[in-house]
Amino acid sequence: MGDHLAESGHGTVPALRWEEPPDGPVLVLLDQTRLPQEEVELVCTDVPALVQAIRSLAVRGAPLLGLAGAYGIALAAARGYDVDDAAEVLAHARPTAVNLRYGVQRALTAFRTAPPHRGAETALAEARRLHAEDAAASTAMAAHGMRLLAELAPGGGHRILTHCNTGALVSGGEGTALGVVMAAHRAGQLRRLWVDETRPLLQGARLTAWEAARAGMPYTLLADNAAGSLFTAGEVDAVLIGADRIAADGSTANKVGSYPLAVLARYHGVPFVVVAPTTTVDLATPDGAAIEVEQRPGSEVTDLAPSPLGTQAYNPAFDVTPPELITAIVTENGVVSPVTAESLASVCAQKAAQ
């Protein structure tokens, strides 16, 4: 398989970047399965290596998967592989995250409509364009999210609960939900970030805590099933999460455990906010029941704490929160609230405005 590992010995490593060494272009990924113990880069020279990185969660997070898909098409074209075959396998590497399919389609369309002998160049330009758009979306979502927080919880000093990882590790910019938290921190308005560990792969403990620590945020890690006690104690002002797919009615698929948080938030009168770019909205998926939820290997659960031989495990990667439990959806185009099919479609149709 066309990949190899490279130790990183320098500052902040981007989650994804394109490089063109003498022996041909490569896509370089920060291997998120190795964090926080070590920063190791995974160098993909072909699409099978990239697909494996996606499936193993070395690269993850909806917006970043979109970028990986687009750059994957550019990689296949530049390396002389069958681009249509590459598009098919990339688009289905993970079923729930709609951004992956979106990024693949953007670069594939650019490749197919390019002038003769310029397909690879055009696909790469489109991937880079999507990369820049995602970074801009991250900045816009942070601004919209800050204004929403000021409305929902006036006075600052926010205590925010988040689930899974939604920072720069999932984005071309500073992220989705964690991008809003970062903006609050910089403005001196973050009193406490509560970080769910997010079992079984512990993205909160390994990745969000890592990003929060590097940013100097006041944060506390908690076991997923400890969130209820925080709500009961009145220690949460808002819940901010990301999304892997948002259906046309506003139903949101996110890391498993998000739905119970929405139920808790509603019971305790706490705002529950989804932060995601419009590329995560899939208007072709009518509602939550139509979202395909990825089922991960049971071994991810049974290996976390040794289980008796033969133990079966239920391990969905995501769950779906219905729109009636969502206070608002923050996009780069603005805020959707109340969350309805009409309001979501209207915001998606707008041009981005910060």
Side-chain angles (χ1 to χ4, degrees):
M1 187 173 292
D3 61 11
H4 64 274
L5 298 175
E7 294 288 343
S8 170
H10 53 83
T12 302
V13 180
L16 175 154
R17 72 179 188 277
W18 178 272
E19 287 193 354
E20 297 187 2
D23 57 347
V26 297
L27 190 59
V28 183
L29 311 172
L30 177 61
D31 186 348
Q32 297 189 31
T33 66
R34 307 282 285 270
L35 293 172
Q37 286 82 3
E38 52 187 352
E39 294 182 20
V40 175
E41 292 182 325
L42 184 63
V43 183
C44 299
T45 61
D46 57 31
V47 169
L50 178 57
V51 169
Q52 177 57 29
I54 291 170
R55 289 176 175 162
S56 70
L57 307 184
V59 58
R60 44 156 295 282
L64 195 69
L65 287 177
L67 302 185
Y71 280 113
I73 295 300
L75 182 64
R79 289 278 184 171
Y81 299 120
D82 187 301
V83 175
D84 288 323
D85 285 351
E88 179 69 17
V89 69
L90 278 167
H92 294 92
R94 294 193 70 191
T96 304
V98 70
N99 297 66
L100 177 58
R101 187 181 65 204
Y102 174 81
V104 167
Q105 192 58 52
R106 279 266 304 253
L108 181 63
T109 299
F111 173 81
R112 287 174 172 171
T113 57
H117 310 298
R118 295 190 60 186
E121 174 188 343
T122 306
L124 178 58
E126 190 65 20
R128 285 175 166 156
R129 186 174 298 111
L130 180 60
H131 202 148
E133 290 172 9
D134 186 62
S138 178
T139 301
M141 287 186 292
H144 292 310
M146 281 289 287
R147 286 191 284 269
L148 179 64
L149 281 177
E151 295 173 7
L152 296 176
H158 304 304
R159 298 164 299 175
I160 297 172
L161 175 66
T162 194
H163 193 69
C164 199
N165 174 252
T166 57
L169 290 173
V170 308
S171 169
E174 288 195 331
T176 56
L178 201 60
V180 177
V181 176
M182 181 71 77
H185 172 58
R186 287 195 180 119
Q189 296 180 15
L190 179 66
R191 180 176 168 188
R192 177 64 46 181
L193 176 64
W194 301 109
V195 179
D196 273 352
E197 62 187 2
T198 38
R199 301 176 185 181
L201 298 180
L202 306 176
Q203 290 99 331
R206 295 188 304 104
L207 306 179
T208 300
W210 181 73
E211 290 193 291
R214 289 164 70 94
M217 293 182 189
Y219 76 96
T220 300
L221 180 67
L222 61 145
D224 289 4
N225 54 13
S229 63
L230 286 177
F231 284 102
T232 300
E235 292 291 331
V236 181
D237 297 312
V239 179
L240 266 63
I241 66 166
D244 284 79
R245 181 180 302 207
I246 300 174
D249 71 340
S251 295
T252 296
N254 191 56
K255 183 67 180 176
V256 66
S258 298
Y259 171 55
L261 286 177
V263 175
L264 281 167
R266 175 55 58 90
Y267 181 80
H268 291 280
V270 173
F272 184 88
V273 178
V274 175
V275 185
T278 54
T279 53
T280 304
V281 179
D282 184 11
L283 297 178
T285 298
D287 52 33
I291 297 176
E292 181 181 358
V293 174
E294 176 185 358
Q295 298 293 324
R296 301 285 300 176
S299 59
E300 292 178 349
V301 176
T302 57
D303 290 352
L304 183 63
S307 303
L309 187 65
T311 296
Q312 300 296 305
Y314 174 60
N315 188 22
F318 310 100
D319 56 23
V320 179
T321 300
E324 56 267 26
L325 293 181
I326 299 172
T327 306
I329 297 175
V330 176
T331 77
E332 75 277 19
N333 291 358
V335 176
V336 180
S337 183
V339 179
T340 65
E342 294 74 22
S343 59
L344 182 60
S346 176
V347 167
C348 288
Q350 297 173 14
K351 290 186 177 180
Q354 185 170 330

